[in-house]
Amino acid sequence: MERVFYVAGNWKMNLLVNEGLALSREVLQGWNEMERKVRLLFFTPYPHLAAVAALTEGVVEVGAQDCSAQPHGGAFTGEVSSHMVASAGASWVLVGHSERRQYHGEEGALLVQKMQRAVEAGLRVIYCCGEPLIVREKGDEAAVEYVLNQLQLLRGENKEPLVKVGQLLVAYEPIWAIGTGRTATPEQAGAMCEAIDGWCQREFGVFRYDIPVLYGGSCNAKNAGALFAQPAISGGLIGGASLRAADFLSIAQEAQKTVKSELA
Ligand code: PGA
């Protein structure tokens, strides 16, 4: 499979709808001027999805930051189904982000159900994983063990991944690096993404890059180049820096440079 780079913005609970549209317009303007060798994704809050998807169609792919574990239709006040997300023009969903795990107790069977709902609605999934500081402090081996254990949820039937190859990405986001300004070193991030890629190859009999692995956690315009130069890192999931068009575009440009140097 040809290697593709992804630069995905996770807006979290930021921006009003008009602000999200303004940011999208700015990114579109900057991006159209550049060669497109990298895929851009916006993970917006639910109320923004339809408008941002319509505005950015053909240039940026849009996704939701979560979806309900319940099938579409029914008395689940406040829930948003995967089919609703898809009907808004979105094609992606994040599952297992550490903030969902931490603040909403999401884990195990619930995350599996969310991925099943995503598949039913034809959404592609970025499955997020990453260790807390207390685990990282025990050493690299403990961190790898923790993260590979989180990947167990990706196991479907007959050694197939729960979400088909081509529809699934993994984002490695060490919890101690999210929103803290403390980034994993390129070597730390690269080694973990290598371990994730290796695990996918062994478990599912896939090839390198069939399930692309992104890095997330205080990724910015300054450190993106070094992170993307790590062979197992196929892009980034960007929180804070995705809220400023110039920063997000700089990160996307770093990804383009990496693609170009690989092609050269
Ligand atoms: P950050 O967030 O870039 O602000 O650290 C990344 C994420 O949580 O996806």
Side-chain angles (χ1 to χ4, degrees), residues 10 12 97 99 173 177-179 217-219 237-240:
N10 175 11
K12 307 193 179 185
H97 192 280
E99 286 152 17
E173 301 200 299
I178 296 179
S218 299
C219 183
L237 181 56
I238 322 295

Side-chain angles (χ1 to χ4, degrees), residues 68-150:
S68 176
Q70 300 295 335
H72 177 71
F76 297 101
T77 303
E79 289 285 275
V80 174
S81 73
S82 58
H83 286 84
M84 290 173 183
V85 169
S87 73
S91 44
W92 292 82
V93 65
L94 293 181
V95 176
H97 192 280
S98 63
E99 286 152 17
R100 302 289 317 168
R101 293 182 195 254
Q102 197 176 341
Y103 304 133
H104 302 270
E106 296 193 359
E107 55 174 40
L110 182 89
L111 297 179
V112 168
Q113 282 168 7
K114 289 189 175 201
M115 286 192 269
Q116 288 166 336
R117 299 291 92 78
V119 169
E120 285 162 15
L123 296 174
R124 300 178 70 186
V125 171
I126 297 186
Y127 177 73
C128 304
C129 57
E131 79 286 356
L133 186 58
I134 187 167
V135 172
R136 173 57 70 174
E137 280 172 345
K138 288 185 194 154
D140 295 347
E141 225 171 281
V144 168
E145 191 187 328
Y146 184 95
V147 168
L148 296 189
N149 192 42
Q150 288 181 316

